[in-house]
Amino acid sequence: MPADSADDNSSKPYDGVIIEIVDYAYDYDIQSLTAWVRAKATLLDALGAAFESLHTSTECAQLVGPTFPGTAATPGGFRLPGTNYHLDILKGAFDLGSMIRYLDHNDAFPGAEWGHPSDNLGAILATADIFTRAALEKGDKHSILTMKHVLIALIKAYEIQGCFQVKNAFNKLGLDHVILVKVASVTMVSWLMGLSKEQAKSAVSHAWMDGHPLRVYRQAPNTGPRKGWAGGDACMRAVHLALLVKSGQPGAEAVLTTPRWGFYDVLFKGHIFELPRPFGTWVIENVLFKVNTAEGHGLTAIEAALEIADELRNRGLTPENDIASIQVRTQEAAMTIINKQGPLHNAADRDHCLKYMVAVVLLKGSQIDTEDYQDAAPWASDPRIEKLRSKMTMVEDHQLTSDYHNQEVRSLANGLLVTFNDGTQLQEVVVHYPQGHVKREETLRLVHLKAKRNLMLRLSPKRVDEIMDAVQGLDFFNMKVNEFMDMFIP
């Protein structure tokens, strides 16, 4: 080894990206009214998605609760929504993050990387609830956290995660997008815990320092339920890292840029992060709500399939007998994430298969629901589904991919072209923006209806109305976090 190859051990400042993240988290003043309105909607949507997961998925229900069944409730613990559990802060963050994400029905933000910013609420709400209960127990009124603190943390976590997603394709390197949940969550829970900016930089450096999950559990042939709790896992780790720093652990200033050993060289092939704009409130103002139950890149295909199903019904035709082929014109992201052939082994497989979604809608003649992906659903074993899947092909349209990445367009387009057995075709049905997109004016109304419907799976209509009124009320910013969380206990 050459004599000049020794590692440089001189002190370094924190990497610029880490400084930028922490300065934004601690110093940025949110002025956008739209951001506050949409933050409230995302909060309700995420908690509704958590209730839906708990109610619908036995897999998810088996994950939540004390680490050791029968363990006594944790005094002052996190009140897990939809249950009577009192959990420690780490299990609480894991459970809520997993519940929000499990059925792939929480919000989404597309880009070079794909992710779900509301995953961060597992860490944010568990931390804010427990720290508030502790402050009340001690009579420390200055440390009590309110729902304004939660909304600030939510807006900024969305912004951190989403801005990284726009141009940084962790998926191209085989890494899962929950790396960004960990980074965004550790930043904002550091702020909620009252850590100094230097401590927050340390915590963020630890998030980048971790070895990161592979994307393998989202892709064929290994797609499985881990994709449902990966966000919860990131939330738990983020809270743990912040607590370690709170106890005095230092960080690694040049965790990204250190030659040979840093993140860029080890995991990012020597590239550096690209951020498309300064951090602000852009992501919360543009996040995609999943009003309907489907992987985000297939939402417009489902709307197109609904239109086709109506046309088939009007003509007296059946999809399994009269359709010869269906061509799906789509974007690159859909080709990567939800383009599958061969058997579908579980709900996680089905909800990440565009052909399954379209086939169910055509046969059902109505919107696909959460239950339609489950093992017990009749569609899971219906031979007509496989018959229709075999007739479908997916092709990338480069213009649709370009529009997907264009920050002025940000479409999620799919086009379905049906050819019948006699060689005739329906006019291609193309949908560019799904319900739930910021460009659809009915979005927030539908989000509130979805949240109410989901919350009523475990709460009385009266309680749900009280929650909706509280969130829209003038005093919501001043509401103590524990008081809000107590409203979600059955």
Side-chain angles (χ1 to χ4, degrees):
M1 182 176 291
D4 62 354
S5 64
D7 291 337
D8 179 5
N9 201 36
S10 58
S11 296
K12 301 285 192 295
Y14 273 101
D15 287 324
V17 170
I18 294 176
I19 295 171
E20 190 174 350
I21 291 170
V22 173
D23 283 349
Y24 164 72
Y26 278 66
D27 300 335
Y28 183 82
D29 184 25
I30 299 168
Q31 298 291 331
S32 167
L33 177 61
T34 299
W36 292 117
V37 170
R38 287 176 65 86
K40 291 179 181 181
T42 60
L43 177 66
L44 290 169
D45 182 63
L47 288 167
F51 273 55
E52 184 182 23
S53 296
L54 198 60
H55 180 82
T56 306
S57 172
T58 54
E59 284 181 350
C60 181
Q62 290 167 354
L63 284 176
V64 305
T67 303
F68 298 101
T71 303
T74 303
F78 174 57
R79 303 299 303 273
L80 184 67
T83 77
N84 289 304
Y85 294 132
H86 299 231
L87 303 174
D88 69 80
I89 193 169
L90 298 183
K91 191 58 165 63
F94 175 87
D95 283 4
L96 183 56
S98 298
M99 286 162 57
I100 290 169
R101 182 77 195 103
Y102 207 82
L103 293 178
D104 203 4
H105 207 182
N106 61 326
D107 57 27
F109 195 76
E113 186 55 69
W114 321 293
H116 309 272
S118 55
D119 291 359
N120 291 283
L121 277 165
I124 290 168
L125 286 173
T127 299
D129 185 47
I130 282 187
F131 272 68
T132 297
R133 293 181 193 277
L136 289 167
E137 180 70 23
K138 296 174 184 176
D140 180 7
K141 63 180 182 180
H142 298 294
S143 298
I144 293 172
L145 297 171
T146 67
M147 291 310 296
K148 184 174 183 180
H149 291 106
V150 166
L151 293 179
I152 290 171
L154 183 160
I155 291 168
K156 293 184 176 181
Y158 272 57
E159 189 75 2
I160 293 166
Q161 178 175 339
C163 282
F164 271 96
Q165 285 179 215
V166 173
K167 292 193 175 287
N168 303 289
F170 296 90
N171 57 83
K172 299 285 188 186
L173 305 169
L175 299 177
D176 194 35
H177 55 70
V178 295
I179 181 176
L180 296 177
V181 176
K182 192 189 318 180
V183 170
S185 283
V186 79
T187 306
M188 297 321 304
V189 299
S190 294
W191 176 74
L192 289 169
M193 290 180 184
L195 303 189
S196 69
K197 289 178 72 173
E198 283 303 303
Q199 288 175 306
K201 293 171 190 174
S202 175
V204 174
S205 78
H206 278 285
W208 291 120
M209 216 183 306
D210 273 1
H212 296 286
L214 301 178
R215 191 180 165 82
V216 64
Y217 49 78
R218 297 189 194 276
Q219 303 292 151
N222 299 294
T223 308
R226 178 167 177 159
K227 74 180 182 63
W229 55 261
D233 191 45
C235 289
M236 177 171 65
R237 182 60 173 163
V239 175
H240 191 199
L241 292 175
L243 290 172
L244 289 171
V245 170
K246 189 174 187 293
S247 71
Q249 286 295 305
E253 289 85 351
V255 61
L256 299 174
T257 57
T258 296
R260 185 180 178 189
W261 307 113
F263 184 94
Y264 288 154
D265 278 2
V266 174
L267 293 175
F268 221 55
K269 294 190 174 180
H271 300 300
I272 64 174
F273 295 139
E274 292 183 69
L275 293 174
R277 60 180 69 216
F279 294 126
T281 57
W282 175 67
V283 174
I284 195 72
E285 292 174 6
N286 289 278
V287 73
L288 172 70
F289 292 100
K290 289 190 180 180
V291 174
N292 300 311
T293 310
E295 197 283 331
H297 300 91
L299 287 168
T300 52
I302 286 175
E303 291 192 40
L306 280 168
E307 188 173 331
I308 291 168
D310 286 343
E311 181 64 22
L312 293 176
R313 188 162 46 245
N314 291 338
R315 294 186 181 204
L317 303 176
T318 60
E320 69 272 27
N321 294 323
D322 295 301
I323 290 178
S325 67
I326 303 172
Q327 183 187 78
V328 182
R329 189 162 56 91
T330 191
Q331 354 83 28
E332 179 191 24
M335 296 294 292
T336 302
I337 302 170
I338 51 177
N339 182 18
K340 289 182 180 176
Q341 61 183 10
L344 301 174
H345 303 291
N346 49 53
D349 245 352
R350 293 179 205 104
D351 72 26
H352 270 54
C353 177
L354 184 144
K355 296 174 185 177
Y356 179 86
M357 302 173 199
V358 170
V360 169
V361 171
L362 291 177
L363 289 170
K364 188 179 178 184
S366 61
Q367 183 61 247
I368 191 168
D369 296 314
T370 304
E371 292 83 358
D372 296 328
Y373 297 104
Q374 307 308 307
D375 292 343
W379 310 112
S381 57
D382 190 327
R384 296 177 299 166
I385 294 289
E386 296 311 306
K387 185 176 181 179
L388 279 173
R389 283 181 66 209
S390 70
K391 296 180 179 184
M392 294 185 214
T393 56
M394 293 175 61
V395 294
E396 179 190 354
D397 182 307
H398 294 292
Q399 184 60 52
L400 297 187
T401 298
S402 176
D403 290 344
Y404 172 90
H405 289 292
N406 184 332
Q407 297 308 298
E408 301 304 317
V409 181
R410 294 187 64 79
S411 67
L412 281 165
N414 279 285
L416 269 60
L417 178 63
V418 171
T419 301
F420 295 114
N421 292 331
D422 63 4
T424 61
Q425 293 181 327
L426 288 179
Q427 183 175 355
E428 184 187 37
V429 179
V430 182
V431 180
H432 290 275
Y433 299 101
Q435 289 181 332
H437 196 283
V438 67
K439 293 190 178 183
R440 295 281 288 262
E441 63 180 19
E442 72 270 34
T443 285
L444 288 185
R445 177 180 61 82
L446 294 175
V447 169
H448 284 101
L449 289 174
K450 172 192 168 190
K452 289 186 70 171
R453 183 173 62 250
N454 282 336
L455 292 175
M456 282 193 284
L457 293 171
R458 294 219 161 195
L459 300 176
S460 69
K462 180 176 182 293
R463 177 77 66 82
V464 173
D465 286 341
E466 289 171 353
I467 290 169
M468 304 299 286
D469 290 344
V471 172
Q472 302 305 328
L474 296 176
D475 293 331
F476 185 61
F477 279 8
N478 297 319
M479 189 177 193
K480 296 181 182 67
V481 175
N482 65 300
E483 293 175 352
F484 180 69
M485 299 309 298
D486 284 345
M487 297 182 79
F488 294 85
I489 307 305

